[in-house]
Short mmCIF file of all heavy atoms in Angstrom, two decimals:
data_model
loop_
_atom_site.label_atom_id
_atom_site.label_comp_id
_atom_site.label_asym_id
_atom_site.label_seq_id
_atom_site.Cartn_x
_atom_site.Cartn_y
_atom_site.Cartn_z
N MET A 284 0.99 -6.80 -2.43
CA MET A 284 0.97 -5.45 -2.09
C MET A 284 1.04 -5.27 -0.58
O MET A 284 2.12 -5.13 -0.03
CB MET A 284 -0.24 -4.78 -2.70
CG MET A 284 -0.44 -3.28 -2.31
SD MET A 284 -1.93 -2.53 -2.94
CE MET A 284 -1.36 -1.09 -3.62
N TYR A 285 -0.09 -5.34 0.09
CA TYR A 285 -0.09 -5.24 1.51
C TYR A 285 -0.85 -6.43 2.13
O TYR A 285 -1.73 -6.95 1.47
CB TYR A 285 -0.79 -3.95 2.02
CG TYR A 285 -0.05 -2.72 1.56
CD1 TYR A 285 -0.19 -2.12 0.40
CD2 TYR A 285 0.82 -2.17 2.47
CE1 TYR A 285 0.51 -1.03 0.00
CE2 TYR A 285 1.53 -1.00 2.19
CZ TYR A 285 1.37 -0.43 0.90
OH TYR A 285 2.08 0.66 0.56
N LEU A 286 -0.50 -6.80 3.35
CA LEU A 286 -1.13 -7.88 3.99
C LEU A 286 -2.39 -7.35 4.68
O LEU A 286 -2.38 -6.16 5.27
CB LEU A 286 -0.20 -8.54 5.09
CG LEU A 286 0.97 -9.17 4.47
CD1 LEU A 286 1.92 -9.62 5.66
CD2 LEU A 286 0.69 -10.35 3.59
N ASN A 287 -3.46 -8.11 4.84
CA ASN A 287 -4.60 -7.81 5.56
C ASN A 287 -4.18 -7.53 7.00
O ASN A 287 -3.63 -8.37 7.61
CB ASN A 287 -5.66 -8.90 5.54
CG ASN A 287 -6.98 -8.53 6.10
OD1 ASN A 287 -7.33 -7.37 6.03
ND2 ASN A 287 -7.73 -9.48 6.57
N GLY A 288 -4.59 -6.41 7.51
CA GLY A 288 -4.20 -6.03 8.94
C GLY A 288 -2.86 -5.17 9.01
O GLY A 288 -2.59 -4.81 10.12
N GLN A 289 -2.26 -4.94 7.95
CA GLN A 289 -0.91 -4.22 8.03
C GLN A 289 -1.21 -2.74 8.23
O GLN A 289 -2.08 -2.20 7.60
CB GLN A 289 -0.15 -4.45 6.73
CG GLN A 289 1.20 -3.78 6.74
CD GLN A 289 2.01 -4.13 5.45
OE1 GLN A 289 1.58 -5.01 4.68
NE2 GLN A 289 3.01 -3.39 5.20
N MET A 290 -0.51 -2.12 9.15
CA MET A 290 -0.70 -0.72 9.42
C MET A 290 -0.13 0.14 8.23
O MET A 290 0.98 -0.21 7.76
CB MET A 290 -0.01 -0.30 10.67
CG MET A 290 -0.36 1.08 11.10
SD MET A 290 -0.03 1.49 12.86
CE MET A 290 1.58 0.96 13.10
N ILE A 291 -0.79 1.14 7.80
CA ILE A 291 -0.25 2.03 6.75
C ILE A 291 -0.14 3.41 7.36
O ILE A 291 -0.96 3.89 8.10
CB ILE A 291 -1.15 2.04 5.55
CG1 ILE A 291 -2.59 2.53 5.81
CG2 ILE A 291 -1.15 0.66 4.88
CD1 ILE A 291 -3.46 2.66 4.61
N PHE A 292 1.02 4.13 7.02
CA PHE A 292 1.23 5.39 7.61
C PHE A 292 2.01 6.34 6.77
O PHE A 292 2.00 7.56 6.93
CB PHE A 292 1.97 5.18 8.98
CG PHE A 292 3.10 4.28 8.88
CD1 PHE A 292 4.41 4.65 8.51
CD2 PHE A 292 2.94 2.95 9.14
CE1 PHE A 292 5.49 3.77 8.43
CE2 PHE A 292 4.03 1.98 9.03
CZ PHE A 292 5.32 2.41 8.66
N ASP A 293 2.74 5.89 5.83
CA ASP A 293 3.58 6.72 4.89
C ASP A 293 2.68 7.23 3.73
O ASP A 293 1.68 6.52 3.38
CB ASP A 293 4.75 5.98 4.27
CG ASP A 293 5.86 5.81 5.29
OD1 ASP A 293 6.00 6.61 6.23
OD2 ASP A 293 6.66 4.92 5.02
N ASP A 294 3.01 8.35 3.14
CA ASP A 294 2.34 8.91 1.95
C ASP A 294 2.19 7.88 0.86
O ASP A 294 1.13 7.73 0.24
CB ASP A 294 2.96 10.19 1.50
CG ASP A 294 2.70 11.38 2.40
OD1 ASP A 294 1.83 11.31 3.22
OD2 ASP A 294 3.40 12.38 2.14
N CYS A 295 3.33 7.12 0.66
CA CYS A 295 3.28 6.11 -0.49
C CYS A 295 2.25 4.99 -0.12
O CYS A 295 1.60 4.51 -1.09
CB CYS A 295 4.70 5.52 -0.70
SG CYS A 295 5.36 4.68 0.63
N HIS A 296 2.04 4.71 1.10
CA HIS A 296 1.05 3.61 1.47
C HIS A 296 -0.39 4.14 1.11
O HIS A 296 -1.11 3.46 0.50
CB HIS A 296 1.05 3.39 2.95
CG HIS A 296 2.35 2.86 3.47
ND1 HIS A 296 2.59 2.89 4.87
CD2 HIS A 296 3.38 2.32 2.92
CE1 HIS A 296 3.82 2.37 5.07
NE2 HIS A 296 4.33 2.01 3.85
N PHE A 297 -0.65 5.43 1.47
CA PHE A 297 -1.91 5.96 1.15
C PHE A 297 -2.15 6.17 -0.33
O PHE A 297 -3.27 5.80 -0.82
CB PHE A 297 -2.14 7.33 1.90
CG PHE A 297 -2.17 7.21 3.35
CD1 PHE A 297 -1.20 7.68 4.17
CD2 PHE A 297 -3.24 6.65 3.97
CE1 PHE A 297 -1.25 7.53 5.59
CE2 PHE A 297 -3.34 6.46 5.44
CZ PHE A 297 -2.31 6.92 6.20
N LEU A 298 -1.12 6.54 -1.00
CA LEU A 298 -1.24 6.76 -2.46
C LEU A 298 -1.53 5.40 -3.12
O LEU A 298 -2.38 5.28 -4.00
CB LEU A 298 0.02 7.37 -3.05
CG LEU A 298 0.07 7.46 -4.60
CD1 LEU A 298 -1.05 8.34 -5.03
CD2 LEU A 298 1.39 8.07 -4.99
N GLU A 299 -0.84 4.28 -2.85
CA GLU A 299 -1.02 2.99 -3.34
C GLU A 299 -2.34 2.46 -3.15
O GLU A 299 -2.97 1.95 -3.96
CB GLU A 299 0.09 2.05 -2.87
CG GLU A 299 1.44 2.41 -3.35
CD GLU A 299 2.54 1.52 -2.75
OE1 GLU A 299 2.44 0.90 -1.69
OE2 GLU A 299 3.71 1.61 -3.26
N HIS A 300 -2.82 2.68 -1.91
CA HIS A 300 -4.24 2.17 -1.53
C HIS A 300 -5.28 2.97 -2.33
O HIS A 300 -6.27 2.34 -2.76
CB HIS A 300 -4.42 2.28 -0.02
CG HIS A 300 -3.92 1.17 0.67
ND1 HIS A 300 -2.54 0.93 0.91
CD2 HIS A 300 -4.52 0.14 1.36
CE1 HIS A 300 -2.40 -0.11 1.62
NE2 HIS A 300 -3.55 -0.65 1.94
N MET A 301 -5.07 4.26 -2.43
CA MET A 301 -6.03 5.08 -3.22
C MET A 301 -6.04 4.67 -4.72
O MET A 301 -7.09 4.48 -5.36
CB MET A 301 -5.75 6.52 -3.03
CG MET A 301 -6.83 7.49 -3.54
SD MET A 301 -6.53 9.17 -2.99
CE MET A 301 -5.32 9.73 -4.08
N ALA A 302 -4.85 4.55 -5.25
CA ALA A 302 -4.72 4.22 -6.70
C ALA A 302 -5.27 2.88 -7.07
O ALA A 302 -5.84 2.67 -8.19
CB ALA A 302 -3.23 4.33 -7.17
N ALA A 303 -5.10 1.87 -6.15
CA ALA A 303 -5.46 0.51 -6.45
C ALA A 303 -6.85 0.21 -5.87
O ALA A 303 -7.33 -0.93 -5.98
CB ALA A 303 -4.45 -0.46 -5.85
N ASP A 304 -7.51 1.20 -5.29
CA ASP A 304 -8.88 0.99 -4.72
C ASP A 304 -8.82 -0.22 -3.60
O ASP A 304 -9.67 -1.02 -3.68
CB ASP A 304 -9.92 0.68 -5.75
CG ASP A 304 -10.35 2.00 -6.43
OD1 ASP A 304 -10.28 3.02 -5.78
OD2 ASP A 304 -10.75 1.89 -7.59
N VAL A 305 -7.86 -0.15 -2.81
CA VAL A 305 -7.76 -1.11 -1.73
C VAL A 305 -8.32 -0.45 -0.45
O VAL A 305 -7.97 0.68 -0.05
CB VAL A 305 -6.28 -1.51 -1.42
CG1 VAL A 305 -6.16 -2.41 -0.16
CG2 VAL A 305 -5.70 -2.18 -2.66
N PRO A 306 -9.34 -1.08 0.15
CA PRO A 306 -9.94 -0.47 1.36
C PRO A 306 -9.06 -0.41 2.55
O PRO A 306 -8.06 -1.21 2.67
CB PRO A 306 -11.18 -1.34 1.64
CG PRO A 306 -10.85 -2.62 1.06
CD PRO A 306 -9.99 -2.32 -0.11
N ILE A 307 -9.36 0.52 3.45
CA ILE A 307 -8.65 0.63 4.72
C ILE A 307 -9.66 0.65 5.85
O ILE A 307 -10.79 1.05 5.71
CB ILE A 307 -7.71 1.92 4.74
CG1 ILE A 307 -8.53 3.16 4.75
CG2 ILE A 307 -6.69 1.82 3.66
CD1 ILE A 307 -7.74 4.38 5.15
N GLN A 308 -9.13 0.32 6.99
CA GLN A 308 -9.96 0.42 8.21
C GLN A 308 -9.42 1.49 9.03
O GLN A 308 -8.10 1.62 9.15
CB GLN A 308 -9.96 -0.98 8.90
CG GLN A 308 -11.08 -1.13 9.81
CD GLN A 308 -11.31 -2.66 10.19
OE1 GLN A 308 -10.49 -3.51 9.80
NE2 GLN A 308 -12.37 -2.93 10.86
N VAL A 309 -10.19 2.22 9.77
CA VAL A 309 -9.78 3.33 10.64
C VAL A 309 -10.13 3.02 12.07
O VAL A 309 -11.13 2.67 12.40
CB VAL A 309 -10.45 4.66 10.18
CG1 VAL A 309 -9.99 5.82 11.02
CG2 VAL A 309 -10.37 4.90 8.72
N TYR A 310 -9.06 3.17 12.92
CA TYR A 310 -9.19 2.95 14.36
C TYR A 310 -8.79 4.20 15.16
O TYR A 310 -7.84 4.87 14.68
CB TYR A 310 -8.29 1.79 14.75
CG TYR A 310 -8.77 0.45 14.43
CD1 TYR A 310 -8.43 -0.13 13.22
CD2 TYR A 310 -9.55 -0.29 15.28
CE1 TYR A 310 -8.91 -1.38 12.88
CE2 TYR A 310 -9.95 -1.54 15.00
CZ TYR A 310 -9.68 -2.07 13.79
OH TYR A 310 -10.16 -3.32 13.50
N ARG A 311 -9.43 4.38 16.24
CA ARG A 311 -8.96 5.33 17.26
C ARG A 311 -8.61 4.52 18.45
O ARG A 311 -9.50 4.08 19.17
CB ARG A 311 -9.97 6.41 17.52
CG ARG A 311 -9.35 7.42 18.54
CD ARG A 311 -10.10 8.75 18.46
NE ARG A 311 -9.33 9.69 19.20
CZ ARG A 311 -9.72 10.91 19.42
NH1 ARG A 311 -10.82 11.36 18.82
NH2 ARG A 311 -9.08 11.71 20.11
N GLY A 312 -7.31 4.33 18.69
CA GLY A 312 -6.90 3.41 19.72
C GLY A 312 -7.24 2.02 19.30
O GLY A 312 -6.90 1.57 18.19
N THR A 313 -8.02 1.35 20.08
CA THR A 313 -8.46 -0.04 19.75
C THR A 313 -9.93 -0.07 19.24
O THR A 313 -10.46 -1.14 18.96
CB THR A 313 -8.37 -0.99 20.96
OG1 THR A 313 -9.23 -0.44 21.97
CG2 THR A 313 -6.91 -1.09 21.43
N ILE A 314 -10.56 1.10 19.05
CA ILE A 314 -11.93 1.19 18.64
C ILE A 314 -12.12 1.46 17.18
O ILE A 314 -11.50 2.36 16.62
CB ILE A 314 -12.60 2.35 19.47
CG1 ILE A 314 -12.58 2.05 20.93
CG2 ILE A 314 -14.07 2.50 19.04
CD1 ILE A 314 -13.02 3.20 21.79
N HIS A 315 -12.77 0.49 16.49
CA HIS A 315 -13.00 0.68 15.06
C HIS A 315 -13.95 1.84 14.82
O HIS A 315 -15.00 1.96 15.48
CB HIS A 315 -13.70 -0.62 14.56
CG HIS A 315 -14.09 -0.52 13.18
ND1 HIS A 315 -15.45 -0.29 12.80
CD2 HIS A 315 -13.41 -0.65 12.01
CE1 HIS A 315 -15.51 -0.28 11.48
NE2 HIS A 315 -14.24 -0.46 11.01
N LYS A 316 -13.57 2.66 13.84
CA LYS A 316 -14.37 3.89 13.57
C LYS A 316 -14.99 3.83 12.11
O LYS A 316 -16.05 4.37 11.89
CB LYS A 316 -13.52 5.17 13.60
CG LYS A 316 -13.16 5.52 15.08
CD LYS A 316 -14.41 5.86 15.87
CE LYS A 316 -14.03 6.32 17.22
NZ LYS A 316 -15.33 6.73 17.98
N ASP A 317 -14.26 3.27 11.09
CA ASP A 317 -14.76 3.30 9.79
C ASP A 317 -13.98 2.31 8.90
O ASP A 317 -12.91 1.83 9.35
CB ASP A 317 -14.52 4.74 9.23
CG ASP A 317 -15.54 5.12 8.08
OD1 ASP A 317 -16.24 4.27 7.64
OD2 ASP A 317 -15.58 6.26 7.68
N ILE A 318 -14.52 1.97 7.75
CA ILE A 318 -13.83 1.18 6.79
C ILE A 318 -14.31 1.70 5.38
O ILE A 318 -15.53 2.08 5.30
CB ILE A 318 -14.20 -0.31 6.92
CG1 ILE A 318 -13.18 -1.10 6.02
CG2 ILE A 318 -15.57 -0.71 6.68
CD1 ILE A 318 -13.05 -2.56 6.31
N GLY A 319 -13.43 1.80 4.49
CA GLY A 319 -13.76 2.31 3.14
C GLY A 319 -12.53 2.55 2.31
O GLY A 319 -11.49 2.10 2.63
N PHE A 320 -12.76 3.34 1.29
CA PHE A 320 -11.69 3.66 0.35
C PHE A 320 -11.22 5.10 0.56
O PHE A 320 -11.94 6.00 0.93
CB PHE A 320 -12.15 3.57 -1.07
CG PHE A 320 -12.60 2.18 -1.39
CD1 PHE A 320 -13.94 1.78 -1.37
CD2 PHE A 320 -11.71 1.21 -1.80
CE1 PHE A 320 -14.33 0.47 -1.61
CE2 PHE A 320 -12.09 -0.11 -2.07
CZ PHE A 320 -13.36 -0.47 -1.96
N ILE A 321 -9.92 5.31 0.32
CA ILE A 321 -9.26 6.59 0.59
C ILE A 321 -9.81 7.51 -0.60
O ILE A 321 -9.59 7.22 -1.76
CB ILE A 321 -7.72 6.57 0.55
CG1 ILE A 321 -7.34 5.70 1.75
CG2 ILE A 321 -7.18 7.97 0.64
CD1 ILE A 321 -5.84 5.41 1.73
N GLU A 322 -10.40 8.65 -0.23
CA GLU A 322 -10.80 9.66 -1.18
C GLU A 322 -9.78 10.77 -1.36
O GLU A 322 -9.64 11.38 -2.42
CB GLU A 322 -12.11 10.26 -0.74
CG GLU A 322 -13.24 9.21 -0.62
CD GLU A 322 -14.45 9.86 0.18
OE1 GLU A 322 -14.54 11.09 0.19
OE2 GLU A 322 -15.22 9.04 0.64
N TYR A 323 -8.99 10.99 -0.35
CA TYR A 323 -8.00 12.06 -0.32
C TYR A 323 -7.05 11.72 0.85
O TYR A 323 -7.46 11.16 1.89
CB TYR A 323 -8.64 13.43 -0.07
CG TYR A 323 -7.69 14.51 0.37
CD1 TYR A 323 -6.98 15.25 -0.57
CD2 TYR A 323 -7.51 14.85 1.66
CE1 TYR A 323 -6.06 16.21 -0.11
CE2 TYR A 323 -6.57 15.73 2.09
CZ TYR A 323 -5.91 16.47 1.22
OH TYR A 323 -5.01 17.45 1.59
N TYR A 324 -5.79 12.15 0.71
CA TYR A 324 -4.87 12.14 1.86
C TYR A 324 -3.98 13.32 1.71
O TYR A 324 -3.65 13.85 0.62
CB TYR A 324 -4.13 10.82 1.95
CG TYR A 324 -2.96 10.72 0.88
CD1 TYR A 324 -1.71 11.14 1.15
CD2 TYR A 324 -3.36 10.25 -0.37
CE1 TYR A 324 -0.75 11.07 0.14
CE2 TYR A 324 -2.36 10.25 -1.42
CZ TYR A 324 -1.02 10.63 -1.09
OH TYR A 324 -0.08 10.58 -2.02
N GLY A 325 -3.51 13.83 2.83
CA GLY A 325 -2.57 14.90 2.89
C GLY A 325 -1.62 14.68 4.17
O GLY A 325 -1.72 13.68 4.74
N LYS A 326 -0.85 15.81 4.46
CA LYS A 326 0.04 15.67 5.57
C LYS A 326 -0.67 15.46 6.90
O LYS A 326 -0.16 14.77 7.82
CB LYS A 326 0.96 16.84 5.62
CG LYS A 326 1.97 16.93 4.56
CD LYS A 326 2.86 18.11 4.73
CE LYS A 326 3.85 18.12 3.60
NZ LYS A 326 4.89 19.11 3.84
N GLU A 327 -1.90 16.00 7.05
CA GLU A 327 -2.61 16.00 8.29
C GLU A 327 -3.75 15.07 8.37
O GLU A 327 -4.16 14.56 9.43
CB GLU A 327 -3.07 17.45 8.63
CG GLU A 327 -1.94 18.45 8.79
CD GLU A 327 -1.02 18.18 9.92
OE1 GLU A 327 -1.61 17.76 11.02
OE2 GLU A 327 0.18 18.47 9.86
N PHE A 328 -4.46 14.77 7.22
CA PHE A 328 -5.70 14.12 7.26
C PHE A 328 -5.75 13.01 6.11
O PHE A 328 -5.08 13.17 5.07
CB PHE A 328 -6.90 15.05 6.98
CG PHE A 328 -7.08 16.09 8.04
CD1 PHE A 328 -6.48 17.37 7.94
CD2 PHE A 328 -7.68 15.75 9.25
CE1 PHE A 328 -6.55 18.25 8.95
CE2 PHE A 328 -7.77 16.67 10.32
CZ PHE A 328 -7.27 17.92 10.13
N VAL A 329 -6.66 12.01 6.35
CA VAL A 329 -7.05 11.11 5.38
C VAL A 329 -8.51 11.12 5.32
O VAL A 329 -9.24 11.05 6.33
CB VAL A 329 -6.55 9.63 5.73
CG1 VAL A 329 -7.02 8.64 4.81
CG2 VAL A 329 -5.01 9.60 5.90
N LYS A 330 -9.07 11.26 4.01
CA LYS A 330 -10.57 11.28 3.88
C LYS A 330 -11.05 9.91 3.46
O LYS A 330 -10.65 9.37 2.43
CB LYS A 330 -10.87 12.35 2.87
CG LYS A 330 -12.35 12.64 2.66
CD LYS A 330 -12.61 13.70 1.68
CE LYS A 330 -14.06 14.04 1.57
NZ LYS A 330 -14.24 15.12 0.56
N VAL A 331 -12.02 9.40 4.25
CA VAL A 331 -12.65 8.13 3.97
C VAL A 331 -14.20 8.33 4.24
O VAL A 331 -14.54 8.84 5.25
CB VAL A 331 -12.16 6.98 4.87
CG1 VAL A 331 -12.90 5.73 4.67
CG2 VAL A 331 -10.62 6.80 4.71
N ASN A 332 -15.00 7.93 3.26
CA ASN A 332 -16.39 8.09 3.37
C ASN A 332 -16.85 9.53 3.74
O ASN A 332 -17.62 9.79 4.56
CB ASN A 332 -16.97 7.12 4.45
CG ASN A 332 -16.79 5.64 3.99
OD1 ASN A 332 -16.74 5.35 2.86
ND2 ASN A 332 -16.53 4.80 4.88
N SER A 333 -16.17 10.51 3.12
CA SER A 333 -16.45 11.88 3.19
C SER A 333 -16.17 12.43 4.66
O SER A 333 -16.59 13.50 5.06
CB SER A 333 -17.85 12.26 2.91
OG SER A 333 -18.21 11.88 1.55
N ILE A 334 -15.30 11.77 5.43
CA ILE A 334 -14.91 12.20 6.77
C ILE A 334 -13.46 12.32 6.75
O ILE A 334 -12.73 11.43 6.29
CB ILE A 334 -15.37 11.13 7.80
CG1 ILE A 334 -16.90 11.02 7.80
CG2 ILE A 334 -14.94 11.61 9.19
CD1 ILE A 334 -17.40 9.91 8.68
N LEU A 335 -12.96 13.40 7.25
CA LEU A 335 -11.48 13.64 7.48
C LEU A 335 -11.00 13.01 8.76
O LEU A 335 -11.53 13.41 9.82
CB LEU A 335 -11.16 15.07 7.35
CG LEU A 335 -11.34 15.76 6.02
CD1 LEU A 335 -11.14 17.22 6.15
CD2 LEU A 335 -10.39 15.18 4.96
N TYR A 336 -10.08 12.15 8.65
CA TYR A 336 -9.48 11.55 9.98
C TYR A 336 -8.06 12.11 10.05
O TYR A 336 -7.20 11.98 9.13
CB TYR A 336 -9.44 10.06 9.85
CG TYR A 336 -10.83 9.47 9.84
CD1 TYR A 336 -11.48 9.08 8.68
CD2 TYR A 336 -11.53 9.24 11.04
CE1 TYR A 336 -12.71 8.49 8.68
CE2 TYR A 336 -12.74 8.75 11.05
CZ TYR A 336 -13.41 8.30 9.85
OH TYR A 336 -14.60 7.82 9.91
N SER A 337 -7.71 12.56 11.24
CA SER A 337 -6.40 13.05 11.52
C SER A 337 -5.37 11.90 11.57
O SER A 337 -5.59 10.89 12.18
CB SER A 337 -6.37 13.74 12.96
OG SER A 337 -5.06 14.02 13.38
N ARG A 338 -4.32 12.11 10.90
CA ARG A 338 -3.29 11.09 10.82
C ARG A 338 -2.57 10.96 12.22
O ARG A 338 -1.95 9.93 12.49
CB ARG A 338 -2.18 11.44 9.69
CG ARG A 338 -2.85 11.17 8.37
CD ARG A 338 -1.99 11.61 7.19
NE ARG A 338 -0.70 10.73 7.11
CZ ARG A 338 0.14 10.79 6.06
NH1 ARG A 338 -0.12 11.59 5.03
NH2 ARG A 338 1.13 10.11 6.02
N LYS A 339 -2.71 11.97 13.05
CA LYS A 339 -2.05 11.92 14.32
C LYS A 339 -2.96 11.17 15.39
O LYS A 339 -2.44 10.63 16.36
CB LYS A 339 -1.76 13.26 14.89
CG LYS A 339 -0.65 13.98 14.07
CD LYS A 339 -0.44 15.36 14.59
CE LYS A 339 0.66 16.03 13.77
NZ LYS A 339 0.87 17.44 14.16
N GLN A 340 -4.29 11.20 15.21
CA GLN A 340 -5.21 10.73 16.14
C GLN A 340 -5.71 9.34 15.76
O GLN A 340 -6.27 8.63 16.71
CB GLN A 340 -6.37 11.65 16.32
CG GLN A 340 -6.06 12.93 16.90
CD GLN A 340 -7.22 13.89 17.04
OE1 GLN A 340 -8.33 13.52 16.69
NE2 GLN A 340 -6.95 15.08 17.54
N PHE A 341 -5.56 8.91 14.51
CA PHE A 341 -6.19 7.61 14.08
C PHE A 341 -5.14 6.73 13.54
O PHE A 341 -4.06 7.22 13.07
CB PHE A 341 -7.21 7.86 13.04
CG PHE A 341 -8.48 8.60 13.62
CD1 PHE A 341 -8.55 9.96 13.62
CD2 PHE A 341 -9.61 7.92 14.10
CE1 PHE A 341 -9.66 10.61 14.13
CE2 PHE A 341 -10.68 8.58 14.64
CZ PHE A 341 -10.65 9.88 14.64
N THR A 342 -5.41 5.43 13.57
CA THR A 342 -4.55 4.39 12.93
C THR A 342 -5.26 3.86 11.77
O THR A 342 -6.48 3.63 11.76
CB THR A 342 -4.30 3.27 13.97
OG1 THR A 342 -3.74 3.81 15.16
CG2 THR A 342 -3.43 2.16 13.38
N PHE A 343 -4.53 3.61 10.70
CA PHE A 343 -5.08 3.10 9.44
C PHE A 343 -4.48 1.71 9.09
O PHE A 343 -3.28 1.58 9.10
CB PHE A 343 -4.75 4.16 8.28
CG PHE A 343 -5.24 5.54 8.65
CD1 PHE A 343 -4.39 6.45 9.24
CD2 PHE A 343 -6.50 5.91 8.39
CE1 PHE A 343 -4.82 7.78 9.57
CE2 PHE A 343 -6.95 7.20 8.72
CZ PHE A 343 -6.14 8.12 9.36
N ILE A 344 -5.41 0.88 8.77
CA ILE A 344 -5.01 -0.55 8.57
C ILE A 344 -5.52 -1.02 7.17
O ILE A 344 -6.63 -0.70 6.77
CB ILE A 344 -5.75 -1.46 9.60
CG1 ILE A 344 -5.45 -1.00 11.06
CG2 ILE A 344 -5.41 -2.87 9.41
CD1 ILE A 344 -4.00 -1.14 11.44
N SER A 345 -4.65 -1.69 6.48
CA SER A 345 -4.98 -2.20 5.16
C SER A 345 -5.89 -3.37 5.24
O SER A 345 -5.72 -4.27 6.08
CB SER A 345 -3.63 -2.65 4.52
OG SER A 345 -3.90 -3.10 3.17
N ARG A 346 -6.93 -3.35 4.34
CA ARG A 346 -7.89 -4.42 4.28
C ARG A 346 -8.10 -4.90 2.89
O ARG A 346 -9.23 -4.87 2.32
CB ARG A 346 -9.23 -3.97 4.87
CG ARG A 346 -9.23 -3.72 6.35
CD ARG A 346 -9.03 -5.07 7.14
NE ARG A 346 -9.02 -4.75 8.49
CZ ARG A 346 -8.27 -5.39 9.39
NH1 ARG A 346 -7.44 -6.30 8.96
NH2 ARG A 346 -8.31 -5.10 10.65
N PRO A 347 -7.02 -5.40 2.20
CA PRO A 347 -7.19 -5.88 0.76
C PRO A 347 -8.18 -7.09 0.89
O PRO A 347 -8.19 -7.95 1.79
CB PRO A 347 -5.80 -6.36 0.42
CG PRO A 347 -5.12 -6.59 1.71
CD PRO A 347 -5.72 -5.56 2.62
N GLY A 348 -9.00 -7.17 -0.13
CA GLY A 348 -9.89 -8.30 -0.28
C GLY A 348 -11.20 -8.16 0.54
O GLY A 348 -11.99 -9.05 0.57
N TYR A 349 -11.30 -7.00 1.23
CA TYR A 349 -12.53 -6.87 2.11
C TYR A 349 -13.69 -6.57 1.16
O TYR A 349 -13.65 -5.84 0.28
CB TYR A 349 -12.24 -5.73 3.07
CG TYR A 349 -13.52 -5.45 3.95
CD1 TYR A 349 -13.68 -6.29 5.06
CD2 TYR A 349 -14.37 -4.43 3.60
CE1 TYR A 349 -14.82 -6.02 5.84
CE2 TYR A 349 -15.48 -4.24 4.48
CZ TYR A 349 -15.69 -5.01 5.61
OH TYR A 349 -16.75 -4.80 6.38
#
């Protein structure tokens, strides 16, 4: 599926991670902000651990096997 550390950004990436319960890590620049499972995603936001993260302001990284 995805490699550990691979950046995810397309809707299909978020859908696949959500459907397969693959965790993601959330960064703002180089600063780690959160890690967890996608609860929701839309055009503007990704929801992880009940927090909405802007797709424009944050980077999302695949963490399979975490």
Side-chain angles (χ1 to χ4, degrees):
M284 181 184 224
Y285 292 88
L286 298 175
N287 190 26
Q289 185 175 347
M290 189 162 49
I291 59 173
F292 47 87
D293 284 336
D294 285 347
C295 66
H296 299 162
F297 293 110
L298 176 61
E299 288 171 352
H300 278 71
M301 192 167 77
D304 284 330
V305 175
I307 65 165
Q308 202 162 6
V309 182
Y310 284 87
R311 183 156 189 183
T313 60
I314 300 171
H315 173 261
K316 291 293 184 179
D317 206 351
I318 191 165
F320 298 97
I321 299 172
E322 300 168 21
Y323 163 85
Y324 74 94
K326 290 184 179 188
E327 300 292 324
F328 296 97
V329 176
K330 187 176 182 182
V331 176
N332 297 326
S333 300
I334 300 170
L335 291 173
Y336 292 100
S337 169
R338 288 175 67 168
K339 293 179 182 178
Q340 294 179 0
F341 292 88
T342 302
F343 305 94
I344 305 294
S345 181
R346 291 293 181 217
Y349 181 80

